[in-house]
Amino acid sequence: MTNGIDPAPQEGTRARKRRETLARITEAGITLFLEKGYDATTLDDIAARAGISRRNFFYYFKSKDEILLSLQSGMGEMIVDALRQQPVDQPPLEAVRDAVLKVCAIFPTDEMIAIDQLMRTNPVVQARKQASMVEHEATLYAALREKWPAPDQAIRLRMVAMMAMGAIRLATDSLHHEGGKRAFTDILAGNFAALRDTA
Amino acid sequence: MTNGIDPAPQEGTRARKRRETLARITEAGITLFLEKGYDATTLDDIAARAGISRRNFFYYFKSKDEILLSLQSGMGEMIVDALRQQPVDQPPLEAVRDAVLKVCAIFPTDEMIAIDQLMRTNPVVQARKQASMVEHEATLYAALREKWPAPDQAIRLRMVAMMAMGAIRLATDSLHHEGGKRAFTDILAGNFAALRDTA
DNA sequence: CAAGAATCTCGCACTCAGTGTAAGATGCAG
DNA sequence: CTGCATCTTACACTGAGTGCGAGATTCTTG
């Protein structure tokens, strides 16, 4: 659940203010979404609470749903970073599995459920979430190709990226339907095991 | 690319008119989208061309993007039907592969490219398309469970459904980037082969 | 430090998708 | 024929997102 708001070595006034405003908008959005629901929360509400004009909201986010989407926008890069640190002598699918498990262990399960719940209330948001998974899939595929550049591996690596992101997606789905009985990483590990046994 | 407009044994005046109006709206939409682009086409344009009021459009479609989405809404059911006719002694992934290949052979490649191109022009439409793939995935999973009801197979079958729909999605992606060099079914078959070799 | 560029902020006016309502027209079943 | 469900329309409204232009703030460079 990382947005692009965290660190900043040597940042000037401008960068600091931007970061702060971004954080204020995000917090205002999440709070109001949880309070009155996604659809019932207008951009006027969010802007007022964040202390900015409605017009200026669009200088920070392209659309209302980006507030929620930004919460998981960092995941793609995090997985890629973790993947780069895996040994090369592993089979690709196992390397990705280990990387994904490391990254997902960071996110608190209850927070994931809350955000997921929120996204399910609006079909467009839900759809964009799936689309962002597809983007992460593409990012992951690029990283896999860097690590295993042999051309005859390309199709296989594309499938690996697809399966890995699919495993994550189905794990969040199970998490939602189980309501938190099993830990996220356990479900995820089970999915990867099923993948290996299947194909 | 089947919408719910085709057959109708014993249909009354009402059902016939509804079918005709639905077809007129769809045709008006597609024509205008291809002519002026998706975003530049307003619901007023579509309604005028289809000979209905703007308000009445929403009696046939929930939203503008549903015109495009409806073009592939039948695919899930078609795959499921094809799957039911596969022999049971096959491994699940192979049964799904054969079913998918049969269904996809029906759709003309050039039409698929045209619709796909259209959808790529608008991020929300694109996102909803991915979301509809996820729905088809769920439908497929349900059908797989019917055919192989053993409880210990459940997770595996969920992965199979995910991989199959993923293979289709990545095939349309390749189709788009290659611009029609290879036939769709060839790409798809290649993807399934890569799946089997990988996991 | 001064001046100009780049970034940020706002208000206003506008387009368009989508919804609520209420009233009229048309097809259907008893 | 008559009541009921379906279809159709016009009107008014909310809210997301964009274009524009003008003012303020921060950064950069001479």
Side-chain angles (χ1 to χ4, degrees):
Chain A
M1 299 293 166
T2 281
N3 31 32
I5 310 182
D6 307 332
Q10 299 288 60
E11 71 173 0
T13 310
R14 184 169 277 170
R16 199 200 69 239
K17 277 193 177 178
R18 182 170 187 85
R19 194 172 41 78
E20 287 171 352
T21 308
L22 210 49
R24 242 169 33 242
I25 296 174
T26 305
E27 203 231 316
I30 304 291
T31 309
L32 289 169
F33 292 160
L34 291 171
E35 210 171 279
K36 352 189 319 188
Y38 178 83
D39 288 318
T41 303
T42 69
L43 289 183
D44 279 304
D45 296 337
I46 298 172
R49 176 145 190 155
I52 59 170
S53 71
R54 195 184 80 98
R55 187 65 186 83
N56 208 25
F57 168 86
F58 293 100
Y59 195 76
Y60 289 88
F61 291 97
K62 278 208 277 284
S63 57
K64 184 175 159 186
D65 48 27
E66 263 206 0
I67 298 176
L68 287 173
L69 262 2
S70 73
L71 295 177
Q72 27 189 238
S73 66
M75 201 178 64
E77 285 303 326
M78 292 175 73
I79 294 176
V80 166
D81 287 345
L83 177 67
R84 292 210 180 92
Q85 288 165 13
Q86 290 292 321
V88 205
D89 54 348
Q90 268 185 125
L93 188 59
E94 290 181 24
V96 175
R97 179 200 57 196
D98 293 346
V100 165
L101 282 172
K102 263 179 205 158
V103 170
C104 288
I106 301 172
F107 300 133
T109 300
D110 51 348
E111 192 178 302
M112 285 187 68
I113 294 180
I115 301 294
D116 185 64
Q117 200 85 29
L118 217 42
M119 288 181 156
R120 282 173 197 273
T121 63
N122 182 287
V124 173
V125 177
Q126 182 67 10
R128 295 200 93 145
K129 182 193 167 186
Q130 317 286 14
S132 85
M133 294 290 282
V134 172
E135 281 172 37
H136 292 155
E137 186 183 303
T139 310
L140 177 57
Y141 170 63
L144 283 167
R145 295 247 33 205
E146 265 182 46
K147 216 172 166 83
W148 290 277
D152 63 317
Q153 290 292 312
I155 308 183
R156 224 167 294 186
L157 292 178
R158 210 177 282 181
M159 298 302 136
V160 168
M162 180 267 282
M163 289 187 281
M165 295 311 295
I168 296 178
R169 177 167 52 77
L170 290 175
T172 59
D173 219 55
S174 297
L175 194 64
H176 172 252
H177 285 104
E178 293 181 6
K181 271 205 302 240
R182 283 186 294 164
F184 184 65
T185 44
D186 291 342
I187 303 176
L188 196 47
N191 283 354
F192 273 101
L195 269 184
R196 198 184 24 180
D197 298 348
T198 294
Chain B
M1 301 286 170
T2 281
N3 32 33
I5 310 181
D6 306 335
Q10 299 288 61
E11 69 174 0
T13 311
R14 185 168 276 170
R16 200 200 70 240
K17 277 194 178 177
R18 180 168 188 87
R19 195 172 41 77
E20 286 171 353
T21 308
L22 210 48
R24 240 166 38 240
I25 296 174
T26 305
E27 203 232 317
I30 304 291
T31 310
L32 289 169
F33 292 159
L34 290 171
E35 210 170 279
K36 356 190 312 188
Y38 179 82
D39 288 318
T41 303
T42 70
L43 290 182
D44 278 305
D45 297 336
I46 298 172
R49 177 142 190 157
I52 59 169
S53 70
R54 195 183 80 97
R55 187 66 185 82
N56 208 23
F57 168 86
F58 293 100
Y59 196 77
Y60 289 88
F61 291 98
K62 279 208 276 284
S63 57
K64 184 175 160 184
D65 47 29
E66 263 205 1
I67 299 176
L68 288 173
L69 263 0
S70 72
L71 295 177
Q72 31 190 235
S73 65
M75 202 179 62
E77 285 303 326
M78 291 174 73
I79 293 176
V80 166
D81 288 345
L83 177 68
R84 292 211 180 92
Q85 288 166 14
Q86 289 293 319
V88 206
D89 55 348
Q90 268 186 126
L93 188 59
E94 289 181 26
V96 175
R97 178 200 60 198
D98 292 346
V100 165
L101 282 173
K102 264 180 208 159
V103 170
C104 288
I106 302 172
F107 301 131
T109 300
D110 51 349
E111 192 177 303
M112 286 186 66
I113 293 179
I115 301 294
D116 185 63
Q117 200 86 28
L118 217 41
M119 288 182 157
R120 282 173 197 273
T121 63
N122 181 287
V124 173
V125 178
Q126 180 68 11
R128 295 200 92 146
K129 182 192 166 184
Q130 315 286 15
S132 85
M133 294 290 281
V134 173
E135 281 172 37
H136 292 157
E137 185 184 304
T139 309
L140 177 56
Y141 169 64
L144 284 167
R145 295 248 31 204
E146 266 181 46
K147 216 173 166 81
W148 289 277
D152 62 316
Q153 290 291 312
I155 309 183
R156 224 166 293 185
L157 292 178
R158 210 178 281 182
M159 298 302 135
V160 168
M162 178 266 283
M163 289 187 282
M165 295 312 296
I168 296 178
R169 177 167 51 79
L170 290 174
T172 59
D173 218 57
S174 296
L175 194 66
H176 173 251
H177 286 105
E178 292 180 8
K181 270 203 304 233
R182 284 186 294 164
F184 183 66
T185 45
D186 291 342
I187 303 176
L188 196 48
N191 283 356
F192 273 102
L195 268 184
R196 197 185 23 182
D197 298 348
T198 295

